[in-house]
């Protein structure tokens, strides 16, 4: 953010040097990254007078000029077609450096004619794009005067790095407000006096806000009879000083007020607004709109539009349209001053790759209480510059009022946080200078602080403490050489992430953290449409990951190459896709961002020891780990489904994890083809589970039942089934037909072989049967098993194998 030192003094009296102000602002959190002085930029540039112009003897397009610099006359060869005797111009003496290109001005010989110095154009002075002709100054310019003093009044520009939480400082008044608070000086806000006609604005303009969430407030003011021309020199110079290109009087005013108040404005040619009606609505999917940069944009239903009675005329908070822009024929102007929801503008700006000065401010949060004032200021300046006639009043559509927030504040918190006591009177003074209204509360030792709407970053008591010390001065807080140690802590229940990590650490796992941006080839394995990165840093970061498993496999490969072959790993991270999970709540339609847990096992189950068998992890180890984790969070109604077909090629013979019929994850043995792509030659077992499943039941307490008095009976059954039959279907039939004795069913084996038939498989299950009333008899057991076998044969076409 560029801030003009001279411009600041319209709003506050400054006695200090620019360097001192820059240092104080930096210590207060507004880091001044650079100070750009016009005296340094335009050193050796002076006002000159052309005393004589004559044709160059050896060049048709060059002239030889005598230029007086207030002390002496210099001979200069010039190629500009508009140079003439008597002109006041900008003269660069020998030894100066041209701002536009860094060229050093030297005494040279051009076509046999000596030239000592340069007559400068706007382009060379970095004041505009015109490089054909020289810049001609007004007749009152005094030869010999430093150009920085004549044109800029010796101004200095602060380049301030405004943090995203301080949108109030994206303007000269905002920075002046902070300086006023730091130096205990009054702030001068421009006084607005309007000369209005008797014609009411509501007779010509109507505003219909259809989306009140994204546009809580929209102010419109009208002025007619304007004459489009250039803005005055003083305004152009101020805009140029901070890097804004002047266009015409009306557009320059909107930019000027934006840089003054921080409120973006937009000017429409009101004669091009159909039926004098403004409609604020969301776009339709696929709707087209041509913005001021002459590019056609394809919109989605998440983009907010400003429309008239017939068509869109602007992208809300981002850019206007070609069909309503101010032009040389414009006579009636509609000034828009609005508050748009930061999230809406941010989404549109990012989606379309269109970042403007307006969107930069809107997406950080402008002051909803200043919209009307900024509109009044704009029409006041337009009337002064163009001589237009202002309609009486304004249309102020404010369906969803944004009120200042109230924060209870205890002054003792200042001492508790900072370690020093600041008098209550000083604290109140600082808060009031920052615009915070301090009221007494019914509670002893507590105030009620009303935070102004231009400070959306202040939400809590600690934020007020931060503001107090910021203005009080960090240098005034003494260094603390001792610290109190607290030996007790509140018994706070850990969050879901902490509880999951506790379980993994207790189970001997190591956590890995992988990059969310991955090579596109990795996402092919999951079968999910990936979200691609528009500007990837390299070929290994082209997509957002659709699964955590490929990144973990890279970690496994890295460890194995360094001799670490036995691994128990987990990761908790975000995944992204174009294909949202059923029931998920997505901020952006058709895009999903979810959080999952991934588990990975490989290598020896037990550490190397002579007394332990050398066994490696297998499928059942992983299944046990998944069930143990689910048990930790009381997830006892999870169903497992063996996939017949699986678009996720990461896992061979994947077992799906389902809850209430919705897929919440999977586990199994990682595919050989996938392992090969990561140069892994041993078996790896992996699981990936939706974290939301655990969050939903993180606070559910376990319910316990009495231990059965009578012993359970266990029987194993194996059925030959068609390949298309899922385990879930088998499990459901067995449980239903086995009532009331079957208490639990578990899967323990799957077998495929040509001997049992093509497209056939054998699924083995273990049954637990019991009665709460008596010990089961053999006939009862046999009758239940017979009922189960008949049900499987009838409903699934299964055959009892054993």
């Amino acid at each position: 953010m560029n801030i003009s030192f001279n411009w600041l003094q319209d709003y506050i009296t400054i006695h200090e040097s620019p360097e001192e102000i820059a240092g104080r602002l930096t210590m207060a959190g507004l880091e001044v990254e650079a100070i750009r002085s016009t005296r340094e930029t335009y050193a050796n540039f002076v006002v000159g007078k052309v005393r004589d112009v004559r044709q160059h003897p050896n060049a048709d397009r060059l002239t030889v000029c005598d230029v007086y610099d207030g002390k002496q006359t210099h001979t200069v060869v010039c190629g500009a077609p508009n140079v003439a005797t008597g002109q006041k111009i900008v003269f660069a003496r020998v030894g100066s450096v041209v701002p536009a290109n860094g060229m050093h001005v030297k005494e040279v010989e051009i076509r046999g004619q000596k030239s000592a110095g340069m007559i400068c154009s706007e382009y060379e002075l970095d004041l505009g794009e015109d490089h054909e002709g020289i810049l001609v100054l007004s007749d009152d310019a005094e030869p010999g005067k430093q150009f920085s003093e004549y044109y800029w009044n010796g101004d200095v520009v602060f380049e301030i790095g405004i943090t995203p939480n301080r949108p109030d400082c994206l303007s000269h008044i905002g920075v002046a407000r902070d300086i006023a608070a730091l130096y205990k000086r009054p702030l001068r806000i421009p006084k607005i006096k309007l000369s209005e006609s008797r014609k009411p604005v509501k007779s010509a303009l109507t505003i219909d806000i259809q989306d009140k969430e994204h546009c809580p407030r929209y102010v419109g003011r009208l002025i007619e009879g304007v004459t489009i021309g250039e803005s005055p020199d003083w305004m152009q110079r101020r805009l140029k000083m901070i890097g804004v290109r002047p266009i015409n009087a009306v557009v320059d005013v909107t930019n000027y007020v934006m840089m003054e108040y921080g409120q973006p404005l937009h000017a429409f040619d009101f004669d091009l607004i159909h039926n004098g009606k403004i409609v604020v609505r969301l776009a339709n999917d696929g709707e087209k709109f041509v913005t001021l940069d002459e590019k056609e944009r394809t919109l989605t239903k998440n983009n907010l539009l400003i429309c008239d009675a017939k068509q869109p005329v602007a992208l809300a908070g981002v850019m206007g349209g070609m069909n309503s822009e101010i032009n040389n024929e414009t006579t009636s102007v509609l000034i828009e001053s609005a508050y748009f929801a930061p999230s809406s503008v941010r989404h549109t700006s990012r989606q379309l790759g269109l970042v403007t000065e307006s969107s930069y401010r809107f997406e950080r949060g402008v002051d909803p209480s200043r919209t009307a004032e900024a509109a009044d200021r704009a029409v006041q300046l337009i009337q002064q510059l163009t001589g237009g006639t202002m309609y009486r009043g304004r249309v102020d559509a404010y369906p969803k009022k944004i009120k200042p927030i109230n924060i209870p504040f205890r002054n003792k918190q200042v001492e508790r946080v900072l370690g020093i006591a600041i008098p209550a009177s000083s604290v109140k003074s600082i808060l009031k200078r920052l615009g915070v209204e301090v009221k007494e509360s019914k509670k002893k030792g507590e105030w009620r602080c009303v935070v102004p709407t231009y400070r959306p970053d202040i939400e809590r008591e600690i934020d007020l403490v931060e503001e107090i010390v910021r203005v009080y001065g960090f240098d005034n807080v003494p260094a603390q050489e001792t610290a109190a140690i607290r030996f007790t802590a509140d018994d706070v229940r850990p969050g879901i992430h902490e509880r999951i990590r506790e379980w993994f650490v207790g189970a001997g796992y190591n956590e890995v953290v992988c990059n969310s941006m991955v090579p596109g080839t990795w996402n092919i394995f999951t079968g999910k449409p990936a979200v691609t990165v528009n500007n990837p840093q390299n070929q290994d970061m082209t997509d957002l990951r659709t699964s955590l498993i490929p990144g973990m496999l890279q970690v496994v490969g890295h460890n194995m190459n360094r001799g670490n072959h036995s691994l128990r790993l987990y990761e908790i991270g975000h995944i992204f896709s174009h294909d949202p999970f059923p029931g998920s709540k997505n901020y952006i339609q058709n895009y999903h961002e979810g959080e999952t847990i991934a588990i990975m096992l490989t290598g020896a189950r037990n550490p190397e020891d002579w007394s332990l068998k050398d066994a490696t992890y297998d499928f059942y180890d992983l299944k046990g780990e998944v069930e143990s984790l689910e048990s930790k969070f009381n997830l006892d109604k999870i169903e497992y489904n063996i996939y017949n077909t699986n678009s996720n090629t990461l896992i061979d013979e994947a077992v799906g994890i389902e809850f209430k019929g919705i897929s919440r994850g999977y586990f199994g043995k990682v595919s050989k083809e996938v392992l090969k792509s990561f140069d892994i030659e041993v078996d790896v077992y992996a699981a990936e589970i939706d974290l939301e499943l655990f969050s939903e039941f993180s606070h559910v307490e376990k319910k316990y039942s009495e231990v059965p008095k009578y012993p359970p009976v266990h029987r194993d059954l194996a059925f030959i089934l068609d390949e298309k039959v899922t385990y879930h279907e088998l499990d459901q039939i067995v449980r239903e037909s086995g009532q009331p004795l079957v208490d639990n069913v578990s899967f323990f084996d799957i077998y495929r072989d040509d001997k049992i038939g093509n497209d056939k498989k054998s699924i083995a299950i273990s049954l637990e049967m019991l009665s709460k009333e008596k010990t089961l008899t053999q006939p009862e057991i046999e009758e239940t098993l017979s009922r189960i076998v008949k049900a499987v044969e009838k409903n699934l076409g299964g055959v009892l194998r054993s």
Side-chain angles (χ1 to χ4, degrees), residues 126-332:
D126 208 12
L127 300 178
E129 299 299 322
D130 185 6
H131 54 80
E132 296 296 329
I134 61 170
L135 174 63
V136 181
L137 307 177
S138 60
D139 291 338
D140 63 356
E142 180 183 346
K145 189 170 186 176
Q146 291 293 320
F147 176 66
S148 61
E149 298 297 328
Y150 165 77
Y151 197 84
W152 300 116
N153 196 23
D155 202 0
V156 169
V157 168
F158 296 139
E159 295 181 9
I160 304 179
I162 305 295
T163 52
N165 66 318
R166 291 300 306 274
D168 59 302
C169 289
L170 292 172
S171 67
H172 283 76
I173 289 178
V175 174
R177 186 188 293 116
D178 254 32
I179 296 174
L182 294 171
Y183 287 93
K184 302 180 183 180
R185 292 174 191 164
L187 183 69
R188 298 187 295 268
I189 301 297
K191 294 180 179 179
I192 301 174
K193 293 182 180 180
L194 303 178
S195 176
E196 301 177 323
S197 69
R198 293 183 178 182
K199 189 185 300 185
V201 67
K202 292 183 179 180
S203 65
L205 174 66
T206 58
I207 295 174
D208 177 17
I209 301 179
Q210 296 182 1
D211 191 321
K212 300 174 180 60
E213 291 295 325
H214 293 141
C215 179
R217 189 176 192 185
Y218 192 102
V219 175
R221 290 218 62 147
L222 287 180
I223 185 168
E224 62 181 355
V226 302
T227 302
I228 302 298
E230 291 186 351
S231 54
D233 285 345
W234 66 267
M235 180 174 284
Q236 290 196 36
R237 290 175 185 179
R238 282 194 167 180
L239 293 175
K240 289 177 181 178
M241 189 67 198
I242 59 174
V244 178
R245 179 174 63 89
I247 298 174
N248 60 53
V250 172
V251 176
D252 290 355
V253 164
T254 61
N255 287 329
Y256 185 89
V257 175
M258 177 175 67
M259 296 300 179
E260 183 177 46
Y261 280 85
Q263 170 66 51
L265 305 172
H266 188 69
F268 297 99
D269 186 327
F270 190 60
D271 292 332
L272 301 178
I273 302 296
H274 291 83
N275 298 339
K277 185 175 184 179
I278 289 293
V279 180
V280 185
R281 66 168 174 84
L282 288 173
N284 300 314
D285 271 331
E287 190 169 0
K288 307 290 186 180
F289 180 64
V290 180
T291 46
L292 280 172
D293 57 2
E294 301 183 10
K295 293 182 180 179
E296 184 179 72
R297 312 280 178 176
T298 301
L299 310 179
T300 69
K301 64 181 182 181
N302 295 308
N303 302 134
L304 190 66
L305 284 175
I306 309 301
C307 308
D308 60 16
K310 182 180 178 182
Q311 61 187 354
V313 292
L315 279 172
V318 181
M319 185 178 284
M322 289 286 293
N323 55 8
S324 61
E325 70 170 328
I326 301 297
N327 56 74
N328 292 335
E329 306 302 320
T330 299
T331 58
S332 295

Side-chain angles (χ1 to χ4, degrees), residues 393-434:
R394 55 178 175 259
V395 180
D396 188 352
Y398 202 174
K400 190 172 182 179
K401 297 195 181 298
I402 300 173
K403 298 180 180 179
I405 65 170
N406 286 261
I407 300 176
F409 180 78
R410 298 159 294 175
N411 190 46
K412 64 180 181 181
Q413 289 295 96
V414 178
E415 183 175 1
R416 188 187 71 81
V417 174
L418 302 181
I420 61 169
I422 301 177
S425 58
S426 298
V427 171
K428 278 188 177 181
S429 175
I430 290 172
L431 291 174
K432 288 178 180 178
R433 296 202 305 271
L434 289 169

Side-chain angles (χ1 to χ4, degrees), residues 17-221:
S17 67
E19 289 73 21
E20 182 177 338
I21 294 293
R24 192 72 184 273
L25 284 174
T26 298
M27 289 302 298
L30 301 182
E31 183 182 0
V32 179
E33 298 172 341
I35 301 176
R36 192 158 33 87
S37 171
T38 57
R39 290 188 176 95
E40 295 177 2
T41 303
Y42 297 99
N44 266 337
F45 288 78
V46 298
V47 175
K49 182 177 181 179
V50 181
R51 287 184 165 175
D52 184 53
V53 178
R54 53 193 179 274
Q55 184 65 44
H56 192 293
N58 301 315
D60 294 337
R61 296 185 180 181
L62 299 178
T63 56
V64 179
C65 307
D66 292 334
V67 178
Y68 176 62
D69 69 354
K71 294 181 179 179
Q72 57 182 324
T73 300
H74 304 267
T75 300
V76 179
V77 174
C78 180
N82 65 327
V83 65
T85 301
Q87 289 175 334
K88 303 291 181 64
I89 49 84
V90 182
F91 177 64
R93 289 172 171 156
V94 172
S96 58
V97 179
V98 178
N101 53 28
M103 183 185 75
H104 290 261
V105 178
K106 302 176 181 178
E107 183 173 333
V108 296
E109 186 173 300
I110 302 176
R111 295 285 187 93
Q113 179 67 53
K114 287 187 179 180
S115 179
M118 176 189 289
I119 304 175
C120 300
S121 66
E122 279 189 0
Y123 174 79
E124 289 157 342
L125 294 168
D126 208 12
L127 300 178
E129 299 299 322
D130 185 6
H131 54 80
E132 296 296 329
I134 61 170
L135 174 63
V136 181
L137 307 177
S138 60
D139 291 338
D140 63 356
E142 180 183 346
K145 189 170 186 176
Q146 291 293 320
F147 176 66
S148 61
E149 298 297 328
Y150 165 77
Y151 197 84
W152 300 116
N153 196 23
D155 202 0
V156 169
V157 168
F158 296 139
E159 295 181 9
I160 304 179
I162 305 295
T163 52
N165 66 318
R166 291 300 306 274
D168 59 302
C169 289
L170 292 172
S171 67
H172 283 76
I173 289 178
V175 174
R177 186 188 293 116
D178 254 32
I179 296 174
L182 294 171
Y183 287 93
K184 302 180 183 180
R185 292 174 191 164
L187 183 69
R188 298 187 295 268
I189 301 297
K191 294 180 179 179
I192 301 174
K193 293 182 180 180
L194 303 178
S195 176
E196 301 177 323
S197 69
R198 293 183 178 182
K199 189 185 300 185
V201 67
K202 292 183 179 180
S203 65
L205 174 66
T206 58
I207 295 174
D208 177 17
I209 301 179
Q210 296 182 1
D211 191 321
K212 300 174 180 60
E213 291 295 325
H214 293 141
C215 179
R217 189 176 192 185
Y218 192 102
V219 175
R221 290 218 62 147

Side-chain angles (χ1 to χ4, degrees), residues 724-738:
K724 65 181 180 180
V725 176
T726 65
Y727 170 73
H728 174 68
E729 292 172 324
L730 176 63
D731 180 83
Q732 190 174 16
I733 293 296
V734 170
R735 289 180 185 273
E736 290 175 356
S737 60

Side-chain angles (χ1 to χ4, degrees), residues 517-528:
M517 290 185 286
V518 299
T521 53
W522 288 11
N523 286 327
I524 296 174
F525 298 132
T526 66
K528 295 179 184 177

Side-chain angles (χ1 to χ4, degrees), residues 597-610:
I597 305 166
I599 307 172
M600 195 161 284
L601 302 174
T602 187
R605 181 186 299 122
N606 299 314
E608 292 184 5
D609 193 291
W610 67 270

